[in-house]
Amino acid sequence: MVKWTEEERETIRSVWEKVDIDETGPQLIARALIVYPWTERYFGTFGDIFTTSAILSNAKVAAHGKVVLRALDRAVKNLDNMNETYAALSRLHYENLNVDPDNFRLLADCITITIACKLKAALDPQVQATWQKFLSAVVDAMNSQYK
Amino acid sequence: MVEWTDFERATIKDIFSKIDAGAVGAAAISRCLIVYPWTQRYFGSFGNLYNAAAITSNPKVAAHGKVVMSGLEAAVKNMDDIKNTYKDLSVLHSEKLHVDPDNFKLLADCLSIVVAAQLGSAFTGDVQAAFQKFLAVVVSSLGRQYH
């Protein structure tokens, strides 16, 4: 199980409270689809996601970004039992959605970059280190039900 | 050979004209040393790297940041032949400095985050994709002469 110091818990909470799900959510999946275009294969039902302008104006992409961030909120609130919190989500992504787990890491990178654009200097190196530790724990939890 | 679109060429030149190279180089190296502490092993002659404050105020770290950025600027000026431009640098890192090439990717990730923080909302998905493609070519070229 991952150990969190008081300082790390505080840092994660303070980064998270600066994130506006309605503002950041839509950017998140859009960024992944643009920067890592093979991820488009997972969103066959989303309609046109094949050009940057289509991606940025696609309502389903925007909505799904918010879904992902709301799930991340659960991780922030359950730092001490992330694996349990994400067990059902992990099974869903493995058994139903057949998502290659490498993509969780790519999405985590997109989350960090989107937050870096917003927080700028406030995402200093130590805050980045803690935030990336948090996201690796999330990625591990998403991997937990994969065999 | 890598193909660059006009958008990618323009974007890379634009990024390098907008960023404060000295600050970005120093910030990226510091961030690497803090977020991925094992990289400190390569900088034994840099003196005090024992904590984040020491790292961010270390003048040798700042100076090395400038060295890295001028290396990147050479790549920007020779985008159609980064592989050859970096041949000697690759030999240096492999044969003299013995740097594990996985670390080039870590530095590239830190560079993305620092540039994202500097450019803010101007670091859109398309800009990120172009910048990361550029960095991937640089990383690959640095690893070329390893055997």
Side-chain angles (χ1 to χ4, degrees):
Chain A
M1 204 192 76
V2 186
K3 290 199 166 60
W4 304 100
T5 64
E6 265 320 303
E7 207 186 328
E8 286 170 336
R9 290 172 195 275
E10 194 32 58
T11 299
I12 292 165
R13 258 178 253 129
S14 110
V15 168
W16 188 242
E17 78 189 7
K18 297 192 175 84
V19 173
D20 175 348
I21 289 187
D22 288 327
E23 178 196 8
T24 303
Q27 294 176 36
L28 182 57
I29 302 282
R31 207 174 265 277
L33 290 168
I34 294 167
V35 182
Y36 309 113
W38 59 86
T39 54
E40 285 161 10
R41 70 185 297 286
Y42 297 115
F43 300 102
T45 58
F46 277 25
D48 187 357
I49 46 171
F50 306 117
T51 62
T52 298
S53 49
I55 291 169
L56 292 172
S57 54
N58 186 308
K60 288 185 173 181
V61 168
H64 199 66
K66 295 188 204 174
V67 164
V68 169
L69 287 187
R70 274 181 231 125
L72 205 59
D73 184 61
R74 284 165 49 208
V76 173
K77 296 191 164 74
N78 289 281
L79 290 176
D80 294 308
N81 60 344
M82 260 195 241
N83 282 5
E84 267 172 64
T85 307
Y86 273 34
L89 260 179
S90 177
R91 250 190 317 272
L92 170 76
H93 283 72
Y94 172 54
E95 289 175 14
N96 290 36
L97 306 174
N98 301 122
V99 175
D100 182 333
D102 285 348
N103 292 302
F104 301 146
R105 197 184 37 85
L106 297 181
L107 188 59
D109 286 350
C110 285
I111 294 174
T112 303
I113 293 210
T114 307
I115 290 181
C117 290
K118 174 127 196 247
L119 267 58
K120 299 195 170 207
L123 191 79
D124 70 37
Q126 281 190 295
V127 171
Q128 178 190 337
T130 301
W131 181 251
Q132 285 188 197
K133 175 179 172 179
F134 166 68
L135 286 180
S136 328
V138 168
V139 166
D140 281 346
M142 283 301 286
N143 270 306
S144 62
Q145 301 297 318
Y146 277 67
K147 300 183 183 58
Chain B
M1 205 192 76
V2 186
E3 303 267 343
W4 302 100
T5 65
D6 288 338
F7 172 80
E8 286 165 343
R9 288 177 195 275
T11 299
I12 301 301
K13 293 208 162 67
D14 191 51
I15 290 175
F16 277 81
S17 72
K18 285 201 174 91
I19 58 174
D20 174 352
V24 164
I29 303 268
S30 305
R31 222 168 254 269
C32 227
L33 293 167
I34 294 166
V35 180
Y36 311 113
W38 58 87
T39 55
Q40 290 169 26
R41 70 187 294 286
Y42 297 114
F43 300 100
S45 61
F46 276 27
N48 186 356
L49 299 176
Y50 302 133
N51 52 48
I55 290 170
T56 43
S57 57
N58 186 309
K60 289 187 171 183
V61 169
H64 199 67
K66 291 206 174 85
V67 167
V68 168
M69 290 310 281
S70 33
L72 283 176
E73 274 152 18
V76 175
K77 293 193 170 73
N78 291 282
M79 276 173 75
D80 291 310
D81 198 11
I82 297 181
K83 200 168 71 186
N84 273 319
T85 306
Y86 272 34
K87 207 147 115 201
D88 291 342
L89 262 179
S90 181
V91 169
L92 172 74
H93 282 74
S94 147
E95 292 181 13
K96 291 237 162 59
L97 306 174
H98 304 299
V99 176
D100 181 336
D102 287 347
N103 292 303
F104 302 146
K105 174 84 175 50
L106 299 181
L107 183 58
D109 287 349
C110 285
L111 275 161
S112 292
I113 294 201
V114 170
V115 170
Q118 265 211 15
L119 299 183
S121 55
F123 198 65
T124 61
D126 281 337
V127 170
Q128 179 187 340
F131 190 59
Q132 286 187 192
K133 175 177 170 178
F134 169 73
L135 288 178
V137 174
V138 163
V139 164
S140 161
S141 304
L142 265 178
R144 276 308 249 145
Q145 302 299 322
Y146 278 68
H147 41 76

